[in-house]
Each structure stands twice: as C-alpha cells, then as structure tokens.
Amino acid sequence: MSDNKNFSPENRTMKNMLVTGGAGFIGSNFIRLVFHKPEFTGRIINLDKLTYAGNAESLGDVASIYGNRYVFVHGDIRDSALLEKIFMEYEIDTVVHFAAESHVDRSIEGPAEFIQTNINGTFSLLETARKIWKDRADVLFHHVSTDEVYGSLGETGYFYETTPYDPRSPYSASKAGSDHLVSAYHHTFGLPITMSNCSNNYGPYQFPEKLIPLMISNIRQEKPLPVYGDGKNIRDWLYVDDHNEAIWQIIHKGINGETYNIGGENEWENIRLVETLCEIMAEKLNRPMDDVKKLITYVKDRPGHDRRYAINCDKIKRTLGWKQKYNFETGLRATVDWYLSHDAWVQSIQSGEYQKWMEKNYRER
Ligand code: NAD
Ligand code: DAU
C-alpha cells in the first residue's frame, strides 16, 4: 500500500495539523515558524501535557494573533480516547510528533516516564492514526527523533541514515524504540510516515536544564558551571529554526517511509562551548572575563556519557534542498540576548514541579 503513487508528497492535504509537545522547546518554535509561512493557511492543534518542560506561555503571542487557527489541548499522548476525539473533531490530516521526555540526565535518574511517554505515547498516537486514517493517502505522520539513537562516535566518522542503531541511555533507547514502532507501522500497516533524526538544538525557549541555557542562567546568577568529565565530549549544534525548517520541508517534499538526518555540521567540545559562552556573557554583562571563567567547575561525569555526535546530512541537502541558515556565533549571541531579555519566562518555567525536583536531586547546584 505504501508504494502506491497516490502517497506522493503533492497529495498531502495539510489543513489540520496535530503538533504534539508544542509547548516545549522545539515544538513551540515549530508552531511559530509554520504560522509565519504564508503558504500555510490551515489550523494547528497543539496537544501537550504541560510537564515541567512545557509552558503554554511560550505561545501566548501565537494564541492571540492566530485566533481559532490555533487550538491548545491540555492532555497526554497516551490517552487514546482523547486522541480519537481530537482526530475526529479537528479532522487531523498531519501529525508532527515532538512530545517526549527529552533530558538524558533525568532518564538516568528516572527512566519510567521516558518509557511511558516516548514508547507508549508514540504507540497510542500510531494506533489512533491507523484506526482513524485507515488507508487514506493524503495524510502524514512525521516523527521527530534524535541522533542519539545511533550511539557514540570516536574521533572520526559520522552518523548516516543507514548507521545501525546503538542507543546507550534510557532516553535514547526509548527514542529508538519509538522510531522502530513508527517504521513498523509504515511497513506493516502502510501508515504514511516520515522521520527525522537531529543533532543538538539551541535557541529561544529551551528549558534551562540543557547545556546552553543552563550555562547562561548560571553565569547570570554567578553560580558554578558544571562541566561533566573532562569536558571534551563533542556535540553537533544546530539552531532550532534550522531544524524546524528541515521538518517543514520534509512534511512537504519528503518521500513516504523515508528517514532524514538533520545536523549543524558544527562540532564543538563542551568545554570550548562553555568558554565561548563565558566570553559572550562577560561582554554582555560587562563583567571581567576571568571572573566569569572561574565559575567553570569540572564535575563527576554523566554515566554512559556518549563521547561524540556528528551528523552527515547530505541526504536532506541533496534530495530536498535544505541547508542551515544560521551561523553559530550569531545564533549563540541571539540566544544569549533572548535569555537575558526573557527573565519572566525563565523564572516561570523553573518554578513549580521543576523546582521541587531540583531541590531533591541537585542540591549542590
Ligand atoms: P522539551 O522537553 O522541551 O519539550 C517536550 C514537550 O513534550 C513538553 O512541552 C512536554 O510538556 C510535552 N510532553 C511530555 N510528555 C508528554 C505527554 N505524555 N503527552 C503530551 N505532551 C507531553 O523537548 P524538546 O527539546 O523540544 O524536544 C522535542 C522533540 O525533539 C523530542 O521528541 C526530542 O526527542 C527531539 N529532539 C530534541 C533535540 C534537542 O536538542 N532538544 C534534538 C533532536 C531531537
Ligand atoms: O543530540 C540530540 C540530543 O541533544 C537530544 O535528543 C536531547 O533531547 C537533548 O537533550 C540533547 O542531549 P544532550 O545530552 O547532548 O544535551 P545536554 O544539553 O544535556 O548536554 C550537552 C552536552 O553537555 C553533553 O555532552 C553533556 C554536557 N553537559 C550537560 C549539562 C546539562 C555538561 O557538561 N554539563 C551540564 O550541566
């Protein structure tokens, strides 16, 4: 069924898009990017459980500007009855699935939620799509995944779409499980799908538990900057809008059943990145550079810490014409400026449930 030429990208309807996890970092930026596309005239339904990582305030402007073209539903992707209701009531024809537990450190301290949301939640969504869409050819389920499913690289080499899966944390194992389910629903039931595996994102609205916003927040408050292990682990950084533009292109032009790797081609050792942030912040806050750098504190390594990630994204460049637009230096500066001017957002997302968790797990920070 999935080889049928009716499943070609130009037949996709894309009028009523269900975005899961749209109150999180990448999802909220995605919704804003889609509404800025003049060619998108449809409606977005944002289904989000508002865990500690979700904040409806991240889309306050969108809700007021786009009126009934934007609908927020507070709920859990594991709730099949709710999913069916949403699919029927809003005539969903496209799913862009971001919702997940996303932080590796938390998956080490408490893997259960990761299995529940990332695997069981993806399963519920797939089941609903299969049941409601039946054999429709004008629909698409896009699954957002990570490069972490490929494991850890040595000093050389890259992750390709064909690299065997080798997840090493409960987070990446749960994402790998969800990727396999999406792929199985395509092969077994003919569900029209596309999938993307992306490297580390940075930009506005990222929860300040992840490396870049955590360091910005700690520098600001003159708190220690915890660098894990020897600080020489490498990540490939991509500005969030570049990731979301790639997803936009995949859902329009991507071939049914295909996976696309997305990356920054921008590898940085953690310690070099933290030092660069210290330099930018010292300048912005008008503080002596040495005082800021003195905050760097080497701490115990993350268990099973993957050494290096690096994405080969030739496929999406060659076949869909996507490429990165943001340069790291300007993207980082823009991100720092955003955090410095959005104190209220930072305080709001760090309060409540997250605050209690931090007090229990990270008293020393
Ligand atoms: P995030 O943690 O900032 O946001 C996740 C969102 O999902 C939150 O709004 C949360 O409330 C929601 N959510 C969690 N459990 C839910 C549930 N059971 N039902 C409904 N909503 C739920 O994550 P992010 O960094 O924006 O990542 C989004 C997606 O992109 C994830 O699937 C992640 O694996 C993937 N990804 C992230 C990166 C990155 O660098 N952040 C890179 C590659 C891929
Ligand atoms: O590669 C894509 C992945 O990138 C996404 O799938 C994940 O959802 C996202 O969280 C991110 O995972 P990482 O583990 O790479 O991101 P994190 O920001 O947690 O850490 C980046 C690097 O910095 C990593 O090598 C660990 C290190 N680190 C992190 C924190 C939070 C520190 O040295 N100190 C810290 O305090």
Side-chain angles (χ1 to χ4, degrees), residues 20-27 47-55 75-78 97-103 117 144-147 171 175 197-202 205-207 209-210 243:
T20 69
F25 164 46
I26 307 176
L47 171 62
D48 198 295
K49 189 181 166 191
L50 296 181
T51 66
Y52 79 97
N55 190 345
D76 194 317
I77 54 166
R78 287 169 297 173
H97 176 32
F98 292 96
E101 287 293 336
S102 69
H103 191 38
T117 286
V144 180
S145 193
T146 169
D147 60 356
Y171 163 69
K175 290 298 289 186
N197 293 82
C198 188
S199 65
N200 286 63
N201 286 214
Y202 71 99
Y205 299 104
Q206 184 168 34
F207 195 93
E209 65 188 344
K210 308 280 166 49
H243 181 188

Side-chain angles (χ1 to χ4, degrees), residues 83-350:
L83 291 178
E84 275 186 36
K85 186 168 175 288
I86 292 171
F87 267 69
M88 305 283 281
E89 185 173 336
Y90 297 107
E91 299 176 358
I92 300 299
D93 50 49
T94 309
V95 173
V96 183
H97 176 32
F98 292 96
E101 287 293 336
S102 69
H103 191 38
V104 175
D105 292 334
R106 288 174 76 101
S107 83
I108 296 166
E109 275 144 32
E113 276 300 310
F114 287 72
I115 308 305
Q116 287 300 324
T117 286
N118 300 1
I119 301 184
N120 294 349
T122 303
F123 166 69
S124 301
L125 270 170
L126 288 165
E127 267 296 277
T128 306
R130 173 168 91 99
K131 187 169 161 191
I132 307 286
W133 285 346
K134 297 196 171 69
D135 53 3
R136 275 178 68 178
D138 62 334
V139 291
L140 181 72
F141 187 112
H142 180 76
H143 178 59
V144 180
S145 193
T146 169
D147 60 356
E148 300 201 10
V149 297
Y150 298 123
S152 180
L153 291 165
E155 281 177 19
T156 57
Y158 295 94
F159 295 136
Y160 296 84
E161 286 83 356
T162 50
T163 301
Y165 274 31
D166 182 23
R168 293 147 48 100
S169 71
Y171 163 69
S172 53
S174 67
K175 290 298 289 186
S178 66
D179 293 10
H180 288 317
L181 279 172
V182 173
S183 182
Y185 269 66
H186 173 68
H187 289 291
T188 308
F189 303 117
L191 188 76
I193 66 111
T194 47
M195 188 146 55
S196 48
N197 293 82
C198 188
S199 65
N200 286 63
N201 286 214
Y202 71 99
Y205 299 104
Q206 184 168 34
F207 195 93
E209 65 188 344
K210 308 280 166 49
L211 183 71
I212 290 179
L214 177 77
M215 295 298 158
I216 295 173
S217 171
N218 283 13
I219 293 171
R220 191 155 196 207
Q221 299 171 65
E222 298 183 67
K223 283 185 176 172
L225 308 178
V227 173
Y228 298 165
D230 64 3
K232 292 188 191 293
N233 298 64
I234 291 175
R235 297 292 182 265
D236 170 9
W237 293 95
L238 179 72
Y239 193 69
V240 63
D241 285 353
D242 278 336
H243 181 188
N244 283 330
E245 181 62 36
I247 294 174
W248 174 254
Q249 297 200 19
I250 294 169
I251 63 180
H252 282 84
K253 300 186 273 179
I255 303 296
N256 182 20
E258 292 285 313
T259 288
Y260 298 87
N261 276 358
I262 308 166
E265 299 176 300
N266 177 40
E267 293 180 49
W268 282 71
E269 270 186 1
N270 292 336
I271 185 64
R272 267 190 61 220
L273 173 51
V274 172
E275 284 171 355
T276 302
L277 279 170
C278 288
E279 287 155 20
I280 297 175
M281 291 286 287
E283 181 196 313
K284 301 262 179 203
L285 299 173
N286 202 16
R287 283 196 206 147
M289 182 102 69
D290 283 352
D291 287 3
V292 178
K293 284 195 175 166
K294 268 189 213 142
L295 297 171
I296 293 175
T297 310
Y298 287 92
V299 298
K300 196 163 150 271
D301 209 355
R302 171 187 281 175
H305 195 176
D306 289 338
R307 192 64 174 169
R308 173 172 167 260
Y309 301 147
I311 278 272
N312 175 296
C313 50
D314 288 352
K315 177 177 170 181
I316 187 169
K317 287 181 153 178
R318 194 182 61 249
T319 60
L320 305 187
W322 170 86
K323 63 174 196 257
Q324 310 89 347
K325 282 199 192 126
Y326 290 84
N327 138 316
F328 197 44
E329 169 78 16
T330 49
L332 262 190
R333 284 181 173 273
T335 303
V336 167
D337 287 340
W338 187 88
Y339 278 92
L340 292 181
S341 59
H342 285 76
D343 245 352
W345 182 88
V346 173
Q347 275 167 26
S348 140
I349 202 154
Q350 281 181 330

